[in-house]
Amino acid sequence: MKPFRLTVVTLFLALCLLLAGAGNALAVKTGWKIATLAPKGLGWAVSFEKLITPWIQKATDDQYVFKVYWGGVMGNDDDYIRKMRIGQLQGAGMTGLGANLACPEFSVVGLPFLFNNYEEVDYIRKVMFPTFEYYFHQNGYKLMLWIDQDFDQFYSTKYKFDNLEDFKKTKILTWYGPQEEAMLKALGSSPIPMDVPSVPTAKRQGVLDTNIAPSIWQVGAQLYTVDKYVNPMRMRYSPAVVVVTNEAYQQVPADYQKRLEKERERVQRDYCADIRKDNEKCLKAMTDYGVQKVTVPPEVLAEIKRRAMTVYDNMSGDLFPTELLQELKRHLAAYRSGKGESVAAPVLIVKTEAPKPAVAEKPVLATAAVPPEAAKIEKESVPVEKQEQKFDAAARKETKEIEEKVDLKKMAQAFEETQQAQKKAAVEKAAEPAPAAPSAAELKEKKKLAWAERKRLVTEVQKKLNSLGLYSYEIDGIYGPVTRKGIQTYQEKNGLETSGVVDQTLLDHMGIK
């Protein structure tokens, strides 16, 4: 009997150890490595830690955690995409450029003069998030958050850009991709392509005289010390995104995914409110310092818009499907005519009038008063180096009021650290063998298939709704306000969540394969 007892005891102990091991395994957290250019402790990074990290932790019972590589230590946005492709990263927080590289279709939201104000951005984000989520998925990514970079401004050491001739004379940077380059050429410019870490030095040396950027970046780079003018004509809205790879997200349990989706809009809203405040503070600090805010005459602005918006047709069918632009325009038209849903907007940094049915509003921009010390700065005939010396002298006399609004020294230090990290990452990248990537032809074919599939699914939904008397508009495969309303009615009648979204739940319920 003793051998039998020993065997039972041994098995019992082994089972206990096994269960204990299983429990420990279940307790192990899943870490997602993500990278971003945002410097730790400032702006986007502060809001990330305040809002996004707790969102992930709470929704996943603290089982999924981010290991964040801040401040460009993993390189630039294109490096993040490459590293996600080979599994070195599971996600990234990317600028508008990175978002467009990851998902070219997303570049449609950055078309010139598409949005008049942030209220319109918030509405399109709400109704079209699922559409862009589809295109990001087709490109290999889960779109976790669509957040803001800014309504980027023109900053120049020489030109106001309140006339068309300035666009022809300027030495202007292009870094944002083919859409920006095409827009600037349409305005008569000969843009100079350059990587972002080189921009501050190039501008101080006079290689560039103008760049387009969010105000946070301009302050961090300390380029307000050489800039004479800022033109906030709202030529382009720039988004930012947080993405993870499809492979990483598919491993997240379904109940966790539902929790993440439930709180996503709140996190986006609060995050955007923070960033808009920060951008406004930075813009105010620069104009208080002496950078002159420019007002563009209405007739000149109308011609700038006309020329810049020629890229709409040029980019349709190349970067994004024509139907996607039509979808976006339909939603905007519905919102401007008062037929779209109202959206609880975040705290807005710019006061705007309520949207009107007019094709394009003429923004009225107040010109900031220029402090006496800035008025003494010599004009264009003075070399950039001397302008920089004068601005540096003025910088040493910064007022306490400005310092309270924006910690200029802290921002400059964080920016410098990011620049150095990017340069180091570039050197390391040059020493690495280039990973194999799909050919341009393969990517083009895959893109067209994704576009066609999206149109097919929307078409089938419209046909189903039409047969039920819930949709009487043209069956064109374009998801607009009428289609959305028909879907919501269908969902309400069938006890589904009234999201108005063409998702797998809707397709399954309608029997669409």
Side-chain angles (χ1 to χ4, degrees), residues 246-421:
N246 285 341
E247 292 79 5
Y249 194 72
Q250 286 165 3
Q251 294 173 15
V252 177
D255 58 332
Y256 288 169
Q257 291 185 16
K258 288 180 181 178
R259 292 186 201 172
L260 288 167
E261 293 292 330
K262 184 178 180 180
E263 292 295 313
R264 174 180 50 76
E265 273 197 44
R266 176 192 60 78
V267 174
Q268 283 181 162
R269 182 193 66 233
D270 294 348
Y271 192 101
C272 289
D274 278 0
I275 296 307
R276 293 172 193 180
K277 288 178 191 174
D278 288 342
N279 274 313
E280 178 66 5
K281 287 179 183 177
C282 288
L283 182 58
K284 182 66 165 56
M286 286 186 282
T287 56
D288 284 350
Y289 178 81
V291 181
Q292 182 181 348
K293 189 185 287 187
V294 177
T295 300
V296 183
E299 65 278 7
V300 176
L301 183 60
E303 181 60 17
I304 290 173
K305 285 184 176 182
R306 186 190 69 77
R307 296 190 184 191
M309 291 171 74
T310 59
V311 304
Y312 283 43
D313 291 335
N314 297 339
M315 295 296 146
S316 292
D318 182 13
L319 292 178
F320 49 81
T322 302
E323 291 83 3
L324 182 59
L325 177 57
Q326 292 174 324
E327 176 181 335
L328 202 160
K329 283 182 173 180
R330 286 182 185 179
H331 285 300
L332 267 181
Y335 181 72
R336 288 169 179 169
S337 65
K339 295 178 182 179
E341 294 180 20
S342 61
V343 177
V347 177
L348 299 175
I349 63 171
V350 180
K351 293 182 179 179
T352 56
E353 295 182 358
K356 298 176 181 178
V359 174
E361 296 178 10
K362 295 179 180 179
V364 179
L365 304 174
T367 303
V370 182
E373 66 270 19
K376 295 178 182 178
I377 298 171
E378 294 176 27
K379 303 299 180 183
E380 296 176 14
S381 58
V382 180
V384 172
E385 292 81 3
K386 290 187 178 180
Q387 292 181 27
E388 189 171 348
Q389 290 173 8
K390 288 180 176 292
F391 270 110
D392 285 342
R396 289 191 288 272
K397 299 177 182 179
E398 291 165 358
T399 66
K400 183 178 180 182
E401 179 184 0
I402 295 176
E403 289 180 342
E404 287 175 350
K405 292 175 182 175
V406 180
D407 191 334
L408 299 175
K409 292 180 180 179
K410 186 176 180 181
M411 290 191 71
Q413 181 182 354
F415 180 86
E416 177 61 27
E417 290 172 356
T418 298
Q419 296 285 87
Q420 294 302 322

Side-chain angles (χ1 to χ4, degrees), residues 465 470-471 480-491 500 510:
L465 293 172
L470 302 177
Y471 179 82
V482 181
T483 304
R484 185 169 186 262
K485 182 62 178 175
I487 292 172
Q488 288 175 322
T489 304
Y490 176 90
Q491 290 170 328
M510 287 184 165

Side-chain angles (χ1 to χ4, degrees), residues 141-195:
Y141 307 98
K142 166 64 179 177
L143 177 60
M144 300 290 288
L145 294 169
W146 165 5
I147 47 184
D148 292 337
Q149 183 169 292
D150 200 357
F151 269 102
D152 292 347
Q153 299 93 30
F154 280 71
Y155 291 93
S156 183
T157 61
K158 288 186 176 183
Y159 304 111
K160 294 183 177 181
F161 296 96
D162 58 353
N163 65 84
L164 291 167
E165 288 303 310
D166 284 354
F167 288 95
K168 298 177 183 178
K169 295 182 290 186
T170 183
K171 292 185 286 188
I172 190 168
L173 165 74
T174 182
W175 68 279
Y176 202 76
Q179 192 162 280
E180 178 185 71
E181 185 174 358
M183 175 189 73
L184 292 172
K185 287 181 176 178
L187 290 165
S189 297
S190 299
I192 302 171
M194 188 177 296
D195 61 284

